[in-house]
Amino acid sequence: MTTDTDKGKAEDWLDAAYAMLIKFGVDSVKILPLAKVLNTSRTSFYWFFKDREALLKQLIERWKATNTEALIQQTERYADTVVEAMLNVFDCWLDERLFDAEFEYAVRNWAMQDARVATEVASADQRRLEALTAMLIRFGYGPHEAGVRARTTYLTQIGYISMHTRETKAVRIGRVAEYVQVFTGQPCERRDLERFVSRHAPDLKDWMSAYEERRAVELRDVQ
C-alpha cells in the first residue's frame, strides 16, 4: 500500500531504512528505530509492510533497480565507438543517480552475513558482466576477449567500492582516458574526453587545461 495517510507512506519507511542501512548496516534496520526516525508509531509500519523481512526485500529491489538496471541501460546506450560506449558506462561511476556506490557497499557487506542476499548479489554481478560483455561484442571483440575485458572493467570498479576508495571527482576523471585504453585497447581521444568531462564537470575549459598541464608534466618525468 502506498496511499498517503497520517501514518506516512511506504516510501518514507523505505527511505529511512535505506539511510539506516547505509550508515549503520543491516542490523540497524529495525522497525522501532525507524519509527522513531519517522516520528510515528511502530504499528503504522504494518499498514505498508507485512514484517521486517518484507521491508528488507524492498530494499534489495531498490538496489537492483538503482544499480543493476541503470548499469545495464548504460551498456545499451547508443555509441559510435567502443570508447564512447565505455565512457557511457563510466557515467555510472561519477553519477550516483545512475549507480549508488554507498548502497552497493552496504548491500555487499549485508551479503556477507545473509546467504539470500549473497545470491542476489551473485545474480546481479552475472547480469552486469553479461551486459558489459555483450556491449564489447557489439564492437567486434570475440566472446572470450570481451568477457575478460568486461571482468577487468567491472571488477576494478567493484574493487573501488569494496575498498571504500576515496578519490575526488577531479582525480577520478583525470584517470578516465587511461582506464578506457586499458579496458578497451583503444585510445581515448581528446574529443571523447571532452564530451565525458562536460557531463560531470561544469568548468570544462579549465578542467581540460589543468588535465593537459598535468599530462605534460607526467610525460616530461617519463622522459
Side-chain angles (χ1 to χ4, degrees):
M1 181 186 298
T2 57
T3 304
D4 291 349
T5 71
D6 57 357
K7 299 173 179 60
K9 297 181 294 184
E11 199 69 15
D12 295 335
W13 287 92
L14 192 57
D15 288 343
Y18 161 83
M20 198 77 79
L21 175 70
I22 297 297
K23 192 170 184 179
F24 301 113
V26 68
D27 289 342
S28 69
V29 182
K30 296 179 179 178
I31 300 170
L32 184 56
L34 293 174
K36 289 181 178 179
V37 168
L38 295 171
N39 194 28
T40 188
S41 68
R42 184 177 187 276
T43 56
S44 67
F45 172 86
Y46 297 99
W47 280 73
F48 308 108
F49 300 97
K50 178 182 177 181
D51 51 26
R52 177 175 181 265
E53 286 303 312
L55 174 65
L56 294 180
K57 183 177 179 180
Q58 285 302 308
L59 268 181
I60 291 297
E61 292 302 314
R62 175 183 280 196
W63 166 72
K64 288 158 64 174
T66 301
N67 287 3
T68 298
E69 299 307 324
L71 175 56
I72 290 172
Q73 288 173 14
Q74 288 299 106
T75 68
E76 296 171 346
R77 282 186 58 189
Y78 174 80
D80 283 328
T81 67
V82 69
V83 169
E84 186 178 359
M86 188 60 73
L87 289 172
N88 287 340
V89 172
F90 280 18
D91 285 338
C92 292
W93 316 148
L94 291 168
D95 187 344
E96 65 181 14
R97 294 169 300 180
L98 295 175
F99 193 95
D100 187 333
E102 291 298 324
F103 203 1
E104 189 77 12
Y105 180 82
V107 169
R108 287 181 179 276
N109 278 350
W110 179 4
M112 294 174 67
Q113 56 184 290
D114 188 319
R116 290 172 299 178
V117 176
T119 298
E120 293 282 7
V121 169
S123 176
D125 286 338
Q126 185 62 31
R127 290 190 64 209
R128 296 169 188 181
L129 283 166
E130 287 174 355
L132 285 164
T133 300
M135 180 188 81
L136 290 163
I137 288 173
R138 289 200 303 273
F139 288 95
Y141 297 86
H144 177 73
E145 182 181 1
V148 171
R149 290 186 182 279
R151 289 179 67 81
T152 303
T153 302
Y154 182 64
L155 295 179
T156 296
Q157 177 58 26
I158 295 303
Y160 261 88
I161 293 168
S162 298
M163 294 173 67
H164 239 186
T165 301
R166 299 297 185 185
E167 286 181 341
T168 65
K169 182 177 284 190
V171 169
R172 194 74 188 273
I173 295 175
R175 293 172 174 161
V176 160
E178 287 72 24
Y179 275 134
V180 167
Q181 183 145 11
V182 169
F183 296 153
T184 68
Q186 300 296 319
C188 181
E189 305 292 349
R190 179 188 171 91
R191 64 180 179 274
D192 297 313
L193 189 58
E194 283 185 343
R195 282 197 297 269
F196 180 78
V197 172
S198 69
R199 299 199 290 267
H200 300 285
D203 52 342
L204 174 61
K205 184 176 179 180
D206 291 343
W207 193 94
M208 290 302 297
S209 295
Y211 173 78
E212 288 171 348
E213 288 175 8
R214 185 169 64 252
R215 291 289 292 143
V217 170
E218 290 173 353
L219 288 172
R220 285 201 302 271
D221 291 344
V222 170
Q223 295 170 353

